[in-house]
Amino acid sequence: MKKVLTIVAIVAMVACMASCKKKCNCTTTVNGQVVQTVEMESTNCSKLNASQTVGGMVQETKCK
């Protein structure tokens, strides 16, 4: 029984660490000029990346 509880505890700890949020530094640019820099929490920074073109203006958000 002790071995089973130990294994369950280890699996739970690994699962918690895998889903931990980390800090992402995101920079928003419009036509290549930095407009805003923010720090956000996410489990995957690259999912926050976005690009949009409207009327010849290009807005990009890149997170690391």
Side-chain angles (χ1 to χ4, degrees):
M1 187 68 172
K2 287 183 181 181
K3 289 182 181 181
V4 173
L5 288 176
T6 302
I7 291 172
V8 169
I10 291 171
V11 170
M13 187 174 67
V14 169
C16 287
M17 289 196 168
S19 66
C20 288
K21 292 184 177 182
K22 58 183 176 180
K23 292 185 179 183
C24 304
N25 292 318
C26 300
T27 302
T28 302
T29 60
V30 175
N31 292 336
Q33 294 190 324
V34 176
V35 176
Q36 183 180 25
T37 302
V38 295
E39 188 175 278
M40 302 173 74
E41 287 188 6
S42 178
T43 55
N44 188 347
C45 294
S46 64
K47 286 186 178 181
L48 300 173
N49 292 343
S51 179
Q52 179 177 350
T53 303
V54 177
M57 295 179 68
V58 178
Q59 177 184 359
E60 291 183 281
T61 302
K62 293 184 181 177
C63 299
K64 302 177 193 172

